[in-house]
Each structure stands twice: as structure tokens, then as C-alpha cells.
Amino acid sequence: MGAGQIVAKAKRIYVCSACGASYPKWEGRCAQCGEWNSLREEAAPRAVEEAHRYAPLAGSSPVLRLADIDAHETSRQPTGLDEFDRVLGGGLVNGGVVLLGGDPGIGKSTLLLQATASLSRVVSVLYVTGEESPEQVALRARRVGIGDTDVELLAEIRLEAILDSLEQRRPRVAVIDSIQTLYSSALGAAPGSVSQVRECVAQLTRVAKQMGVSVVMIGHVTKDGSLAGPRVVEHIVDTVLYFEGDTHSAYRLIRAFKNRFGAANELGVFAMTDHGLRGVSNPSALFLSRHDRDVAGACVMATQEGTRPLLVEIQALVDGAHVPNPRRLSVGLESNRLALLLAVLHRHAGIATFDQDVFVNAVGGVKIAEPAADLPVLLAIVSSLHNRPLPAGLVVFGEVGLAGEIRPAPRGQERLKEAAKLGFGTALIPRANAPRRPIEGLDIWAVDRVDGALARVE
Ligand code: TYD
Ligand code: MG
């Protein structure tokens, strides 16, 4: 290394806008998260900024003995929206920081406006809007029928000004809409860049913990990588919620990915109406599509999200491929598992799909990450390939192993009970999930291998 390089010059680094990993030179793909074309050039943080960044989030304190610490169950403030409270684990916690992520236009601002309106009847609330003007927010509130509330509104994007307002007004709950519009003058980077988003969220988190305010921040999930996504700050905040669902359908799911104050993977369900979001307290049958007659390639799965069973239709379309590399596409399901399942299907059931395009989809924009979707996906594929509908009233779940075995899924009993309640007559399930006592109205077909499962539905 030449001596000349010791002289300080503005160093540039390349930061992934999806996950925040940084690299000394540009690369086409982020090695950390696998995202393509997500690296953006930024100025490397200066030494002062670094020191600032590593100040402790929760304030420093002397060393204590764990048993001597006077701690009590954190008090919660319910938001009054039952489905939202369910994913939060009962309500907002003092000094807790929540990140609400989701695609633009999915309803994040609407949800938080409704939540703050209801909260403002009990506690003081500050809504910081960096995206919409106060008039736009007020119009939306009137439209949703919550125009007359005590929510305080601040149209601001400068972090320092927001921190000042928090200091002066001392609200119990603050909403930041959104983290990508925030701008701290301590950094030279543009709003929405990884370093700005990280710095602003870290500062707000520190202040939230010091003052005991609950802060809820909105973060847009960005596809093109030009803005930093919520993932770059997931590790800083206490709770990470994601809004999912198809913007073309009315239903929206909120899922807790991380929750220091409650169960992760809990699910809340809303419907978007003309008057804002309405909670759906009994959503188990929402994600079934109604067919007039039995169709090939459709299989209903019983999935369990958090404490709540859901019945979701899995659809597959298998069609002769006209290119040497047949397409494999999955929407709402793990795409890596699709390749794996097709290999198991070939090896252990003798059904080849190497010359077929295979598409699979979970109805209604739901995302299913659990491996219990394997068996339903497999049956939907075979049903489409043979153009033969599965038996009417059938519900399925089960993980498929590489050796062709069917593995049990957690909370099988609850899934079966929900299916019986919704009128399903037959359940094809892993043998280990077979209930000890019969469930009224439900025939159980317990299987332990892929070929056995296929033979049952022939
Ligand atoms: P919004 O909360 O602005 O989304 P985000 O903050 O996540 O970007 O939601 C906008 C969408 O919701 C918009 O497409 C219109 C729709 N909407 C309704 O259908 N009904 C309503 O009452 C409101 C307020 C919005
Ligand atoms: Mg918004």
C-alpha cells in the first residue's frame, strides 16, 4: 500500500439498499441477501458519525446483578383496533419501537391514522407526516370518518425538528410516516439512502427509549433499490410488522416478523373498504376461491399462522414447455422448495416434469413460508398435470422430505378442527398428525410417503 493512500479523502462505499450490507466496490449482486442491482454508492461514514452511531440505543447504565433489577411486565396501550393489537401482542409498549413495512399503497398510512385516532381518545398522539400534506391527511381522516380527533399533526422531514417536537410535546405515542422521507443534517446523504434511514431510525429509537414514547414507523418496501428498504433497520427496532396482500383484492394481512414484546408470526387480517380498514375477526375461509365445479390444479391447505389456522387454496398450472429451460414460478410460496418438490415427485413417485412449465400460486396474495405447504403444492401439481380434480371437500397439509417421507406439521389438531368447522369432509395429513380421537364430520387419511398420498387421491 502506497504512503499517499493514508491521506484522508472522501471515501466511497457501496451499500445494499435491501439489507444494508456494504462493499468497497460495486457488485451486481449483494452477497449478503442475494438481491440483484441493489448496491448504491454512498459516502463512507466519517469517524464522528461512526462514534455517534454506536452510542447505546437504550442508554448506558452501570453493571447490575440480573436478580436485583426492578422489572415489571411492561404496560401496554391497546390501539383499539383488535387485529392490530393481536399482532402487536396486546398493544403498544412504552418506549417500544415498531416498524410497519409494506408495499406502497397497501394501507400503512390508513391503518396508523385509524389507530392514532382511536388512541388519541386515551393518550396524547403525534403523527409526523413527511409524505402527505396536513390537508391530505385531514381529508383522508374525514373520509374514514375519524375527522374529529385530538391527534396532533406535524408535517416535517428534518430529524432534528422532529426530535425537538417530541421533546416539547412529550406525546405517549408518535407515528413517523415514513422513515424514507427523514433527513438528518448530521449526514450529507440524501433522504432514503441507507445511511440516512439507519441514522434517523437509530436516533428516534434512542429518544423513544429515553422518553418512554411508543414510536411506530412506516417503511416502504422498495423493489428497485433506489430507496433503502425496511430490512436495513429491522435489527434496531423492537417489533417488525409487515403488511402483505394483493392490492387488487380487499384483504390485507399484517404479520409480526420479530416481536420483543409478543409472539412472532402472529397474524392480523383487515379488509380495505371505502371507509378505511376494518378488522376481520374470523378470516379462516377468506383465501378459498369459490369454484362452481371441481377444477384440476387446486388444493386447499390448512395453514397455521401464529395462533390462527387459515384455509388457503393452492393452485398449480402445469403446461408443456416450448423452451429447453422450462419455467418454474411460485407466487406466495417458497420458490426453492418448488424445485425440490419436483425432484421428489420424480424420484419417489415416478412423475416427471422436466418438459413442463410449472406455476404455483397461493390465492389472495397470502405468503406461506411454512413447509407444511409441500404436500398441498405437490398434489395441486399432480392434479394439474393429469388434469384430474382432487376429491371434493379435501383439505391437506404436511411437509415433504427429500426421502419422500411426509413429516408432521405443528398444531395439526387445530388445523383439522378449523377445516371441520368450515365443512371439509376429508383430511389428507401426515400420519404423525392423525388425531387420537375422531373429529366429527372429518375423515382422516393419514399417510407417511409421497406415493401413498398420491395413491389416496387417484
Ligand atoms: P395508504 O394508507 O395511503 O397506503 P400506504 O401508506 O401504505 O402507501 O393506502 C392507500 C390505498 O388505500 C389507496 O389505494 C386507496 C385505498 N383506500 C381505500 O380503499 N379506502 C379508504 O378509506 C382509504 C383511506 C384508502
Ligand atoms: Mg402512506
Side-chain angles (χ1 to χ4, degrees):
M1 194 187 279
Q5 272 172 300
I6 295 169
V7 178
K9 61 174 187 183
K11 233 176 93 188
R12 312 298 294 175
I13 52 169
Y14 296 85
V15 185
C16 172
S17 50
C19 72
S22 62
Y23 299 87
K25 60 182 178 41
W26 192 84
E27 280 167 47
R29 186 179 194 206
C30 171
Q32 195 88 23
C33 68
E35 197 68 40
W36 286 95
N37 204 16
S38 62
L39 264 53
R40 293 287 174 277
E41 187 176 344
E42 285 190 10
R46 291 169 300 212
V48 244
E49 288 170 11
E50 286 286 342
H52 196 65
R53 168 171 309 168
Y54 296 125
L57 287 184
S60 54
S61 61
V63 177
L64 298 172
R65 224 171 64 111
L66 190 56
D68 296 340
I69 300 171
D70 181 23
H72 33 82
E73 193 43 44
T74 37
S75 60
R76 286 177 191 277
Q77 183 61 54
T79 63
L81 305 181
D82 292 346
E83 292 294 306
F84 191 35
D85 287 338
R86 168 195 278 274
V87 268
L88 287 170
L92 296 169
V93 173
N94 287 350
V97 179
V98 178
L99 174 70
L100 177 64
D103 290 334
I106 198 155
K108 301 180 294 297
S109 305
T110 308
L111 176 74
L112 290 184
L113 191 60
Q114 287 179 250
T116 47
S118 137
L119 276 165
S120 71
R121 285 190 223 119
V122 208
V123 294
S124 51
V125 182
L126 180 69
Y127 192 107
V128 181
T129 166
E131 292 190 348
E132 290 165 285
S133 67
E135 294 75 26
Q136 282 174 305
V137 179
L139 274 178
R140 185 204 303 257
R142 304 232 160 92
R143 179 167 162 205
V144 175
I146 49 173
D148 187 23
T149 65
D150 295 326
V151 177
E152 300 197 318
L153 203 64
L154 172 69
E156 185 59 79
I157 62 167
R158 288 170 304 149
L159 177 73
E160 290 74 17
I162 295 171
L163 294 180
D164 277 350
S165 293
L166 286 177
E167 195 75 43
Q168 275 167 20
R169 312 205 75 90
R170 301 242 154 206
R172 275 285 304 279
V173 177
V175 170
I176 310 289
D177 186 359
S178 66
I179 55 169
Q180 280 110 346
T181 57
L182 294 182
Y183 177 80
S184 163
S185 53
L187 303 185
S193 62
V194 173
S195 47
Q196 278 289 5
V197 168
R198 261 200 197 142
E199 171 66 13
C200 293
V201 171
Q203 290 274 22
L204 279 163
T205 303
R206 194 170 305 136
V207 168
K209 307 257 176 236
Q210 272 164 14
M211 293 180 16
V213 264
S214 319
V215 175
V216 187
M217 308 186 196
I218 289 180
H220 295 290
V221 170
T222 54
K223 294 268 149 53
D224 65 348
S226 54
L227 286 180
R231 285 195 47 201
V232 302
V233 292
E234 276 179 352
H235 59 290
I236 305 178
V237 301
D238 297 310
T239 303
V240 179
L241 310 180
Y242 277 100
F243 229 129
E244 52 190 66
D246 190 349
T247 32
H248 306 295
S249 94
Y251 297 107
R252 304 280 186 277
L253 302 179
I254 300 189
R255 203 188 293 267
F257 270 79
K258 159 182 171 181
N259 198 347
R260 287 186 185 148
F261 309 119
N265 270 325
E266 193 53 92
L267 194 72
V269 184
F270 288 92
M272 180 63 93
T273 67
D274 286 347
H275 303 288
L277 290 157
R278 293 275 170 274
V280 179
S281 51
N282 195 357
S284 52
L286 283 185
F287 303 101
L288 301 176
S289 52
R290 312 248 170 250
H291 303 291
D292 296 337
R293 56 192 178 82
D294 292 341
V295 294
C299 179
V300 175
M301 118 162 247
T303 169
Q304 174 89 27
E305 300 289 353
T307 56
R308 186 176 242 185
L310 274 184
L311 283 108
V312 180
E313 182 176 315
I314 307 288
Q315 299 183 331
L317 179 69
V318 180
D319 191 23
H322 297 287
V323 286
N325 288 326
R327 310 232 307 151
R328 271 93 179 82
L329 187 80
S330 58
V331 180
L333 294 152
E334 298 259 349
S335 45
N336 288 336
R337 288 199 82 86
L338 178 58
L340 190 147
L341 288 174
L342 293 175
V344 170
L345 193 60
H346 183 220
R347 188 71 167 67
H348 296 286
I351 298 174
T353 52
F354 59 85
D355 53 353
Q356 306 283 335
D357 288 333
V358 180
F359 306 96
V360 294
N361 172 37
V363 166
V366 212
K367 292 200 181 75
I368 304 178
E370 63 161 358
D374 291 351
L375 191 55
V377 169
L378 224 142
L379 292 184
I381 290 171
V382 174
S383 159
S384 174
L385 181 70
H386 294 161
N387 199 20
R388 259 204 308 266
L390 291 165
L394 179 74
V395 61
V396 186
F397 62 85
E399 179 181 347
V400 172
L402 287 183
E405 81 280 19
I406 311 277
R407 292 214 212 100
R411 297 180 185 244
Q413 196 81 359
E414 282 162 55
R415 302 179 197 234
L416 292 172
K417 285 202 179 123
E418 192 66 26
K421 204 168 90 191
L422 290 170
F424 285 82
T426 318
L428 180 69
I429 57 167
R431 183 160 322 271
N433 280 125
R436 269 180 232 114
R437 259 176 272 136
I439 295 175
E440 200 177 313
L442 199 62
D443 270 346
I444 303 291
W445 293 350
V447 289
D448 31 31
R449 298 202 51 81
V450 166
D451 41 359
L454 291 172
R456 269 329 281 249
V457 298
E458 277 300 293

Coordinates of all heavy atoms in Angstrom, one line a residue, residues 292-350:
D292 N -67.5 -23.2 -9.3 CA -68.8 -23.8 -9.5 C -68.7 -25.3 -9.5 O -69.6 -26.0 -9.1 CB -69.4 -23.3 -10.7 CG -69.7 -21.8 -10.6 OD1 -69.8 -21.3 -9.5 OD2 -69.8 -21.1 -11.7
R293 N -67.6 -25.8 -10.1 CA -67.4 -27.2 -10.1 C -65.9 -27.5 -9.8 O -65.1 -26.6 -9.6 CB -67.7 -27.7 -11.5 CG -66.9 -27.0 -12.6 CD -67.3 -27.3 -14.0 NE -66.5 -26.5 -14.9 CZ -65.3 -26.9 -15.3 NH1 -64.8 -28.1 -15.0 NH2 -64.6 -26.2 -16.2
D294 N -65.6 -28.8 -9.6 CA -64.2 -29.1 -9.2 C -63.3 -28.8 -10.3 O -63.6 -29.1 -11.5 CB -64.1 -30.6 -8.8 CG -64.9 -30.9 -7.6 OD1 -65.2 -30.0 -6.8 OD2 -65.3 -32.1 -7.4
V295 N -62.2 -28.2 -10.0 CA -61.2 -27.9 -11.0 C -59.9 -28.6 -10.7 O -59.5 -28.8 -9.6 CB -60.9 -26.3 -11.2 CG1 -62.2 -25.6 -11.6 CG2 -60.5 -25.8 -9.8
A296 N -59.2 -28.9 -11.8 CA -57.9 -29.6 -11.7 C -56.8 -28.5 -11.3 O -56.9 -27.4 -11.7 CB -57.5 -30.3 -13.0
G297 N -55.9 -28.9 -10.4 CA -54.8 -28.0 -10.1 C -55.1 -27.1 -8.9 O -54.3 -26.2 -8.6
A298 N -56.2 -27.4 -8.2 CA -56.5 -26.6 -7.0 C -56.5 -27.6 -5.7 O -57.0 -28.7 -5.8 CB -57.8 -25.9 -7.1
C299 N -55.8 -27.2 -4.7 CA -55.8 -28.0 -3.5 C -55.9 -27.0 -2.3 O -55.2 -26.1 -2.2 CB -54.5 -28.8 -3.4 SG -54.3 -29.8 -2.0
V300 N -56.8 -27.4 -1.3 CA -56.9 -26.5 -0.2 C -56.0 -26.9 0.9 O -55.9 -28.1 1.3 CB -58.4 -26.5 0.3 CG1 -58.5 -25.7 1.6 CG2 -59.3 -25.9 -0.7
M301 N -55.2 -26.0 1.5 CA -54.3 -26.3 2.5 C -54.8 -25.7 3.8 O -55.4 -24.6 3.8 CB -52.9 -25.9 2.2 CG -52.3 -24.9 3.1 SD -50.6 -24.7 2.9 CE -50.0 -25.3 4.5
A302 N -54.6 -26.4 5.0 CA -54.8 -25.8 6.3 C -53.5 -25.3 6.8 O -52.6 -26.1 7.1 CB -55.4 -26.8 7.2
T303 N -53.3 -24.0 6.9 CA -52.0 -23.5 7.4 C -52.3 -22.9 8.8 O -53.4 -22.5 9.1 CB -51.4 -22.5 6.4 OG1 -50.3 -21.8 7.0 CG2 -52.4 -21.4 5.9
Q304 N -51.2 -22.8 9.5 CA -51.4 -22.2 10.9 C -50.4 -21.0 11.0 O -49.2 -21.2 10.9 CB -51.0 -23.3 11.9 CG -51.0 -22.8 13.3 CD -52.4 -23.0 14.0 OE1 -53.2 -23.8 13.6 NE2 -52.7 -22.2 15.0
E305 N -51.0 -19.9 11.2 CA -50.2 -18.7 11.3 C -50.3 -18.2 12.7 O -51.4 -17.7 13.1 CB -50.6 -17.6 10.3 CG -50.5 -18.0 8.8 CD -49.1 -18.1 8.4 OE1 -48.2 -17.7 9.1 OE2 -48.9 -18.6 7.2
G306 N -49.2 -18.2 13.5 CA -49.3 -17.8 14.9 C -50.3 -18.7 15.6 O -50.2 -19.9 15.5
T307 N -51.3 -18.0 16.2 CA -52.3 -18.8 16.9 C -53.5 -19.1 16.1 O -54.5 -19.6 16.6 CB -52.7 -18.1 18.2 OG1 -53.3 -16.8 17.7 CG2 -51.6 -17.9 19.1
R308 N -53.4 -18.8 14.8 CA -54.7 -18.8 14.0 C -54.6 -19.7 12.8 O -53.8 -19.5 11.9 CB -54.8 -17.4 13.6 CG -56.0 -17.0 12.9 CD -55.9 -15.5 12.7 NE -57.0 -14.9 13.3 CZ -57.3 -13.6 13.2 NH1 -56.5 -12.8 12.6 NH2 -58.3 -13.1 13.8
P309 N -55.5 -20.7 12.7 CA -55.5 -21.5 11.5 C -56.2 -20.8 10.3 O -57.1 -20.1 10.5 CB -56.3 -22.7 11.9 CG -57.1 -22.3 13.0 CD -56.5 -21.1 13.6
L310 N -55.7 -21.0 9.1 CA -56.3 -20.4 7.9 C -56.4 -21.4 6.8 O -55.5 -22.3 6.7 CB -55.3 -19.3 7.3 CG -55.3 -17.9 7.8 CD1 -54.3 -17.1 7.0 CD2 -56.6 -17.3 7.7
L311 N -57.4 -21.4 6.0 CA -57.5 -22.3 4.9 C -57.2 -21.5 3.6 O -57.8 -20.5 3.4 CB -58.9 -23.0 4.9 CG -58.8 -24.1 6.0 CD1 -59.7 -23.7 7.1 CD2 -59.1 -25.4 5.4
V312 N -56.2 -22.0 2.9 CA -55.8 -21.3 1.7 C -55.8 -22.2 0.5 O -55.3 -23.3 0.7 CB -54.4 -20.7 1.9 CG1 -53.9 -19.9 0.7 CG2 -54.3 -19.9 3.2
E313 N -56.3 -21.7 -0.6 CA -56.3 -22.6 -1.8 C -54.9 -22.4 -2.5 O -54.5 -21.3 -2.7 CB -57.4 -22.2 -2.7 CG -57.4 -23.1 -3.9 CD -58.6 -22.8 -4.9 OE1 -59.7 -22.6 -4.3 OE2 -58.4 -22.7 -6.1
I314 N -54.3 -23.5 -2.8 CA -53.0 -23.5 -3.5 C -53.4 -23.9 -4.9 O -54.1 -25.0 -5.1 CB -52.0 -24.6 -2.9 CG1 -51.9 -24.4 -1.4 CG2 -50.7 -24.5 -3.7 CD1 -51.1 -23.2 -1.0
Q315 N -52.9 -23.2 -5.9 CA -53.2 -23.5 -7.3 C -51.9 -23.8 -8.0 O -50.9 -23.2 -7.8 CB -53.9 -22.3 -8.0 CG -55.2 -22.0 -7.3 CD -55.9 -20.8 -8.1 OE1 -55.3 -20.0 -8.7 NE2 -57.2 -20.8 -8.0
A316 N -52.0 -24.8 -9.0 CA -50.9 -25.1 -9.8 C -51.3 -25.2 -11.2 O -52.5 -25.6 -11.5 CB -50.3 -26.4 -9.4
L317 N -50.5 -24.8 -12.1 CA -50.7 -25.0 -13.5 C -49.5 -25.6 -14.1 O -48.3 -25.1 -14.0 CB -51.0 -23.6 -14.2 CG -51.2 -23.7 -15.7 CD1 -52.5 -24.4 -16.0 CD2 -51.2 -22.3 -16.4
V318 N -49.7 -26.8 -14.8 CA -48.5 -27.5 -15.4 C -48.9 -27.5 -16.9 O -49.9 -28.0 -17.2 CB -48.4 -28.9 -14.8 CG1 -47.2 -29.6 -15.4 CG2 -48.2 -28.8 -13.3
D319 N -47.9 -27.1 -17.7 CA -48.2 -26.9 -19.1 C -47.0 -27.3 -19.9 O -45.9 -27.0 -19.4 CB -48.6 -25.5 -19.4 CG -49.2 -25.3 -20.8 OD1 -49.7 -26.3 -21.3 OD2 -49.1 -24.2 -21.3
G320 N -47.1 -28.0 -21.0 CA -46.0 -28.4 -21.8 C -45.1 -27.2 -22.2 O -45.5 -26.1 -22.6
A321 N -43.8 -27.3 -21.9 CA -42.8 -26.2 -22.1 C -42.4 -26.2 -23.6 O -42.2 -27.3 -24.2 CB -41.6 -26.4 -21.2
H322 N -42.2 -25.0 -24.1 CA -41.7 -24.9 -25.5 C -40.3 -24.4 -25.6 O -39.8 -24.1 -26.7 CB -42.7 -24.1 -26.3 CG -44.0 -24.7 -26.4 ND1 -44.3 -25.8 -27.1 CD2 -45.2 -24.4 -25.7 CE1 -45.6 -26.2 -26.9 NE2 -46.1 -25.3 -26.0
V323 N -39.6 -24.3 -24.5 CA -38.2 -23.9 -24.4 C -37.4 -24.9 -23.7 O -38.0 -25.7 -22.9 CB -38.1 -22.5 -23.7 CG1 -38.6 -21.4 -24.6 CG2 -38.8 -22.5 -22.4
P324 N -36.1 -25.0 -24.0 CA -35.3 -26.0 -23.3 C -35.3 -25.9 -21.8 O -35.2 -26.9 -21.1 CB -33.9 -25.8 -23.9 CG -34.0 -24.8 -25.0 CD -35.4 -24.1 -24.9
N325 N -35.4 -24.7 -21.3 CA -35.4 -24.5 -19.8 C -36.8 -24.2 -19.4 O -37.3 -23.1 -19.4 CB -34.5 -23.3 -19.4 CG -33.1 -23.6 -19.5 OD1 -32.7 -24.7 -19.3 ND2 -32.3 -22.6 -19.9
P326 N -37.6 -25.2 -18.9 CA -39.0 -25.0 -18.5 C -39.0 -24.0 -17.4 O -38.1 -23.9 -16.5 CB -39.5 -26.3 -18.1 CG -38.3 -27.2 -18.0 CD -37.2 -26.6 -18.7
R327 N -40.1 -23.2 -17.3 CA -40.3 -22.2 -16.3 C -40.8 -22.8 -15.0 O -41.7 -23.7 -15.0 CB -41.2 -21.1 -16.7 CG -40.9 -20.6 -18.1 CD -40.8 -19.1 -18.1 NE -41.9 -18.4 -17.6 CZ -41.8 -17.2 -17.0 NH1 -40.6 -16.7 -16.9 NH2 -42.9 -16.6 -16.6
R328 N -40.3 -22.4 -13.9 CA -40.8 -22.7 -12.5 C -41.0 -21.4 -11.8 O -40.1 -20.6 -11.6 CB -39.8 -23.5 -11.7 CG -39.8 -25.0 -11.9 CD -38.8 -25.4 -12.9 NE -38.8 -26.8 -13.1 CZ -39.6 -27.5 -13.9 NH1 -40.6 -26.9 -14.5 NH2 -39.5 -28.8 -14.1
L329 N -42.3 -21.2 -11.5 CA -42.6 -19.9 -10.9 C -43.6 -20.1 -9.7 O -44.5 -20.8 -9.8 CB -43.3 -19.0 -11.9 CG -43.6 -17.6 -11.5 CD1 -42.3 -16.8 -11.7 CD2 -44.7 -16.9 -12.3
S330 N -43.2 -19.5 -8.6 CA -44.2 -19.6 -7.5 C -44.5 -18.2 -6.9 O -43.6 -17.4 -6.8 CB -43.7 -20.5 -6.4 OG -42.5 -20.1 -5.9
V331 N -45.8 -18.0 -6.6 CA -46.2 -16.7 -6.1 C -46.8 -17.0 -4.7 O -47.7 -17.8 -4.5 CB -47.3 -16.1 -7.0 CG1 -47.8 -14.8 -6.4 CG2 -46.8 -15.9 -8.4
G332 N -46.2 -16.4 -3.7 CA -46.7 -16.6 -2.3 C -46.1 -17.8 -1.6 O -46.4 -18.1 -0.5
L333 N -45.3 -18.6 -2.4 CA -44.8 -19.8 -1.8 C -43.3 -19.8 -2.1 O -42.8 -19.1 -3.0 CB -45.4 -21.1 -2.5 CG -46.9 -21.3 -2.2 CD1 -47.5 -22.0 -3.3 CD2 -47.1 -22.0 -0.9
E334 N -42.5 -20.6 -1.3 CA -41.1 -20.6 -1.5 C -40.7 -21.2 -2.8 O -41.0 -22.3 -3.1 CB -40.4 -21.5 -0.4 CG -40.7 -21.0 1.0 CD -39.5 -20.3 1.6 OE1 -38.4 -20.3 1.0 OE2 -39.7 -19.6 2.6
S335 N -39.9 -20.4 -3.6 CA -39.6 -20.9 -5.0 C -38.5 -22.0 -4.9 O -38.5 -22.9 -5.8 CB -39.2 -19.8 -5.9 OG -38.3 -18.9 -5.2
N336 N -37.6 -21.9 -3.9 CA -36.6 -23.0 -3.8 C -37.3 -24.4 -3.5 O -36.8 -25.4 -4.0 CB -35.6 -22.7 -2.7 CG -34.7 -21.6 -3.1 OD1 -34.5 -21.3 -4.3 ND2 -34.2 -20.9 -2.2
R337 N -38.3 -24.3 -2.7 CA -39.0 -25.6 -2.4 C -39.7 -26.2 -3.6 O -39.9 -27.4 -3.6 CB -39.9 -25.4 -1.2 CG -39.2 -25.2 0.1 CD -40.1 -25.4 1.3 NE -40.2 -26.8 1.7 CZ -39.3 -27.5 2.5 NH1 -38.3 -26.8 2.9 NH2 -39.5 -28.7 2.8
L338 N -40.1 -25.4 -4.5 CA -40.8 -25.9 -5.7 C -39.8 -26.8 -6.5 O -40.3 -28.0 -6.8 CB -41.2 -24.7 -6.6 CG -42.0 -25.1 -7.9 CD1 -43.2 -26.0 -7.6 CD2 -42.4 -23.9 -8.7
A339 N -38.6 -26.4 -6.7 CA -37.6 -27.3 -7.4 C -37.4 -28.6 -6.7 O -37.4 -29.7 -7.2 CB -36.3 -26.5 -7.6
L340 N -37.3 -28.4 -5.4 CA -37.1 -29.6 -4.5 C -38.3 -30.6 -4.6 O -38.1 -31.8 -4.7 CB -37.0 -29.0 -3.1 CG -36.5 -29.9 -1.9 CD1 -35.7 -29.0 -1.0 CD2 -37.7 -30.4 -1.2
L341 N -39.5 -30.0 -4.6 CA -40.7 -30.9 -4.6 C -40.8 -31.6 -6.0 O -41.2 -32.8 -6.0 CB -41.9 -30.1 -4.4 CG -42.1 -29.6 -3.0 CD1 -43.3 -28.6 -2.9 CD2 -42.3 -30.8 -2.0
L342 N -40.4 -30.9 -7.0 CA -40.5 -31.6 -8.4 C -39.5 -32.7 -8.4 O -39.8 -33.7 -9.0 CB -40.2 -30.5 -9.5 CG -41.3 -29.5 -9.6 CD1 -41.0 -28.4 -10.6 CD2 -42.7 -30.1 -9.9
A343 N -38.3 -32.5 -7.8 CA -37.3 -33.6 -7.8 C -37.8 -34.8 -7.0 O -37.7 -35.9 -7.4 CB -36.0 -33.1 -7.2
V344 N -38.5 -34.5 -5.8 CA -39.0 -35.6 -5.0 C -40.1 -36.3 -5.8 O -40.2 -37.6 -5.8 CB -39.6 -35.0 -3.7 CG1 -40.4 -36.1 -2.9 CG2 -38.5 -34.5 -2.8
L345 N -40.9 -35.6 -6.5 CA -42.0 -36.1 -7.3 C -41.5 -37.1 -8.3 O -42.0 -38.2 -8.5 CB -42.8 -35.0 -7.9 CG -44.1 -35.3 -8.6 CD1 -45.1 -35.8 -7.5 CD2 -44.7 -34.1 -9.2
H346 N -40.4 -36.7 -8.9 CA -39.8 -37.6 -10.0 C -39.2 -38.8 -9.4 O -39.4 -40.0 -9.7 CB -38.8 -36.8 -10.8 CG -38.2 -37.6 -11.9 ND1 -36.8 -37.5 -12.2 CD2 -38.7 -38.5 -12.7 CE1 -36.6 -38.4 -13.2 NE2 -37.7 -38.9 -13.5
R347 N -38.4 -38.6 -8.3 CA -37.6 -39.7 -7.7 C -38.5 -40.7 -7.0 O -38.2 -41.9 -7.1 CB -36.5 -39.0 -6.8 CG -35.5 -39.9 -6.3 CD -34.5 -40.4 -7.4 NE -33.4 -41.0 -6.8 CZ -33.4 -42.2 -6.1 NH1 -34.6 -42.8 -6.0 NH2 -32.3 -42.7 -5.6
H348 N -39.4 -40.2 -6.3 CA -40.2 -41.1 -5.4 C -41.6 -41.4 -5.8 O -42.2 -42.2 -5.2 CB -40.2 -40.5 -3.9 CG -38.9 -40.4 -3.3 ND1 -38.2 -41.4 -2.8 CD2 -38.1 -39.3 -3.1 CE1 -37.0 -41.1 -2.4 NE2 -36.9 -39.7 -2.6
A349 N -42.1 -40.8 -6.9 CA -43.4 -41.1 -7.4 C -43.3 -41.4 -8.9 O -44.4 -41.7 -9.5 CB -44.4 -40.1 -7.0
G350 N -42.2 -41.2 -9.5 CA -42.0 -41.5 -10.9 C -42.7 -40.6 -11.8 O -43.1 -40.9 -12.9

